[in-house]
Amino acid sequence: MKTARTWAVALTGVDGHLVEIEADVSNQTPGFKIVGLPDKALGEAAQRVHNAVTNAELELTRRRLTVNLSPASLPKHGSGFDLGIAISAVATGGVLDAASIARTVHIGELGLDGRVRPVPGVLPSVFAAARAGFDRVVVPHANAAEARLVPGMQVRAATTLAEVAMWHGADIAVADVEPVTAAVAPRSVPEVLDLADVVGQEEAVEALIVAAAGGHHLLMSGPPGAGKTMLARRLPGILPPLTEDAALEVASIRSLSGAAVDVLDDMPPWEAPHHSASVAALVGGGSRGVRPGAIVRAHRGILFLDEAAEFSRVALDALRQPLESGSIDIDRAGFRARFPARFQLALATNPCPCGNYGVRGAECICPPIAIRRYSARLSGPLRDRIDIDLQVARVAASRATAPERSGTTTAQAQGRVQTARERAERRWTNTPWTVNAEVAGSYLRQGDLRLSTDVRAPLDRALERGLLTLRGYDRVLRLAWTMADLAEVERPGRDELGRALFLKKGLIA
């Protein structure tokens, strides 16, 4: 056999593209050349493959071997092509079943000793193979569990190159070799904290339930010790469990990040980056292979920014576009990677650098200009994208030492949230939306769900007086529908809209 073909997967973001690996032998000066727009890591595959094939006691041609990765215009990154390159190269000698390798997708990195090493992004790669019509894939032994999460795929877990060659018909003895394990720690499951531990703060707890029920973004402002972080950490526990499709999306992103993936977790993800995080840490980046940032890892879950005013303004403003679109595009020379980023944003901030501005009985030592500058770190356009702007005060001593606990537990709150989301999901059937926070403003302002003039009157006045932008107007409408879902009424009335307006701008209708 002079030419052999098999398949691998190139990832751009979470999107996988099938790549045909074509190996051809020619009567020219001996050598091993990989073409088809490989990056540096992939260009070095020639030496890894040569040593791995030799140590697996397989034969590689002594003539000129050219490996083409098609389509040639698609950038290819990483070492996950090693296994496919090695199999196609060995197959040019006629020792492997050409039909077998042509209908199999190979994913994995090779060690010099011939063992197959794990690579990130196996789950989205196997998904891409399944969508392209393939039903058989060979993956590293350490990645087998996540590959088997894709239904309908025949997954073979490879320990060595020799083992893979034997599966494709090579007459070779396979030694018993210890498989390479994934060099990552198992993912820790965040503890579910109970809302009943919150003392006082009934309004804040109710605002948290509203945010969870409608998928609304939340800003909590208040002095240190008021319980902002305590409240935010209880938000994931009251969210409904992820659907199977959403859990697969989250698992694919974890796989791209290099985290261990062995089961589908229905717990919404929780990301809480430190306030020193850069723009690249938040949105993702990298000069060669693009890695997902915190907003991508928070997809279908919560992104919590504690001490939000301490983040750089550039990093915070980088959140504005994904908050609107639900995705993030990262452009690099020659390619663009798109990641899903439909997260729920929760911010916590102090009123001033010392934290005592506006606190009864406390002395604020900050000059007025420092207070204004501190507040301005959360820009107007970013605040405009926040649905709920909540002021959190410290709990009085009499409440803190009272024997009774909060009247709302996490289980009760999650039940209310689940019921409200089911009502919203039924309403948005046959639309692209599932929660109120995603609904287009024009649909609520001009469609069949437009509220009556009498109900809208306070909201219209706020818009006319310049207290709200049109974006803020739409966000109040979305909040009002969430209030109606929690109250189990068909449409928002003056009461629901008034509470929504108060949560957004602190205005009394």
Side-chain angles (χ1 to χ4, degrees):
M1 183 188 301
K2 188 177 179 182
T3 303
R5 295 178 177 86
T6 189
W7 297 86
V9 180
L11 290 172
T12 54
V14 293
D15 298 323
H17 308 275
L18 267 293
V19 173
E20 185 180 31
I21 301 176
E22 182 181 32
D24 182 72
V25 176
S26 61
N27 295 320
Q28 299 177 15
T29 305
F32 193 152
K33 181 70 173 177
I34 299 175
V35 297
L37 211 56
D39 70 347
K40 184 173 178 58
L42 183 48
E44 293 171 345
Q47 191 60 52
R48 289 195 300 272
V49 168
H50 186 279
N51 286 53
V53 169
T54 301
N55 290 321
E57 299 183 358
L58 294 165
E59 289 188 5
L60 203 60
T61 180
R62 295 180 181 274
R63 294 183 290 173
R64 184 166 186 83
L65 178 63
T66 303
V67 175
N68 180 45
L69 308 177
S70 179
S73 60
L74 178 70
K76 291 95 180 170
H77 309 280
S79 56
F81 294 84
D82 287 6
L83 184 58
I85 291 172
I87 288 297
S88 63
V90 171
T92 58
V95 297
L96 303 183
D97 184 349
S100 176
I101 68 170
R103 68 182 185 90
T104 305
V105 177
H106 296 86
I107 303 168
E109 177 185 334
L110 289 177
L112 298 182
D113 57 357
R115 289 190 298 172
V116 183
R117 298 179 175 275
V119 292
V122 166
L123 183 56
S125 297
V126 177
F127 263 117
R131 287 194 298 268
F134 288 87
D135 60 2
R136 188 166 70 176
V137 63
V138 177
V139 301
H141 184 277
N143 297 123
E146 64 178 284
R148 293 192 176 107
L149 295 175
V150 181
M153 288 295 288
Q154 178 188 351
V155 177
R156 285 197 163 183
T159 302
T160 64
L161 175 61
E163 186 179 37
V164 180
M166 184 191 67
W167 292 338
H168 292 304
D171 186 10
I172 185 174
V174 178
D176 187 12
V177 177
E178 186 72 20
V180 180
T181 57
V184 293
R187 192 178 77 93
S188 59
V189 179
E191 181 184 2
V192 177
L193 304 174
D194 204 314
L195 269 179
D197 297 332
V198 178
V199 177
Q201 306 291 13
E202 286 83 2
E203 290 184 3
V205 169
E206 187 63 25
L208 210 67
I209 294 172
V210 172
H216 301 289
H217 306 307
L218 171 70
L219 168 62
M220 292 180 286
S221 303
K228 304 183 296 295
T229 304
M230 184 181 187
L231 287 162
R233 291 181 62 195
R234 281 151 179 78
L235 183 54
I238 66 177
L239 292 175
L242 297 175
T243 64
E244 184 177 358
D245 289 344
L248 284 170
E249 290 179 13
V250 171
S252 294
I253 293 169
R254 289 209 311 270
S255 175
L256 279 173
S257 303
V261 178
D262 47 10
V263 296
L264 285 184
D265 188 358
D266 63 358
M267 183 76 174
W270 164 267
E271 287 289 327
H274 191 261
H275 60 74
S276 62
S278 64
V279 175
L282 283 180
V283 305
S287 59
R288 296 186 179 94
V290 178
R291 300 297 294 270
I295 67 171
V296 179
R297 298 194 300 271
H299 178 61
R300 302 293 183 185
I302 305 296
L303 176 67
F304 175 54
L305 304 184
D306 201 3
E307 304 295 345
E310 299 295 338
F311 282 77
S312 75
R313 182 160 179 170
V314 175
L316 290 174
D317 284 343
L319 302 176
R320 286 155 51 179
Q321 182 263 332
L323 282 175
E324 289 292 323
S325 64
S327 64
I328 181 70
D329 292 324
I330 300 175
D331 292 295
R332 293 293 181 268
F335 73 97
R336 166 180 288 188
R338 168 166 289 186
F339 293 99
R342 194 164 292 283
F343 58 92
Q344 190 171 345
L345 180 63
L347 304 171
T349 186
N350 295 329
C352 68
C354 77
N356 290 327
Y357 179 68
V359 179
R360 181 181 300 177
E363 180 184 1
C364 177
I365 60 174
C366 305
I369 190 171
I371 298 173
R372 289 196 299 271
R373 284 175 178 171
Y374 195 79
S375 176
R377 291 187 182 183
L378 297 180
S379 65
L382 178 61
R383 286 179 177 269
D384 204 29
R385 287 166 169 82
I386 303 298
D387 301 297
I388 300 174
D389 191 343
L390 181 67
Q391 300 297 318
V392 183
R394 288 175 180 158
V395 179
S398 59
R399 297 295 306 275
T401 57
E404 67 270 9
R405 290 158 62 90
S406 171
T408 305
T409 65
T410 289
Q412 292 169 341
Q414 189 182 49
R416 291 181 60 195
V417 168
Q418 184 68 46
T419 300
R421 287 213 176 190
E422 288 171 357
R423 290 177 63 89
E425 192 170 351
R426 287 194 298 269
R427 181 169 58 250
W428 308 127
T429 302
N430 300 323
T431 72
W433 315 299
T434 55
V435 295
N436 295 328
E438 299 173 356
V439 181
S442 59
Y443 195 85
L444 298 178
R445 282 184 274 109
Q446 302 167 4
D448 296 336
L449 298 179
R450 182 183 182 187
L451 302 182
S452 66
T453 304
D454 180 61
V455 171
R456 294 194 332 266
L459 186 57
D460 291 341
R461 285 197 300 270
L463 181 64
E464 290 167 359
R465 293 166 58 191
L467 300 176
L468 283 173
T469 64
L470 188 57
R471 180 187 286 118
Y473 184 100
D474 292 339
R475 293 192 178 277
V476 173
L477 288 177
R478 296 174 185 133
L479 272 173
W481 279 99
T482 300
M483 297 287 188
D485 291 333
L486 286 168
E488 299 188 21
V489 297
E490 289 301 317
R491 296 174 70 89
R494 286 288 292 266
D495 187 44
E496 287 76 26
L497 190 133
R499 282 185 288 158
L501 191 57
F502 178 77
L503 284 178
K504 172 61 179 172
K505 295 294 289 186
L507 300 175
I508 304 298

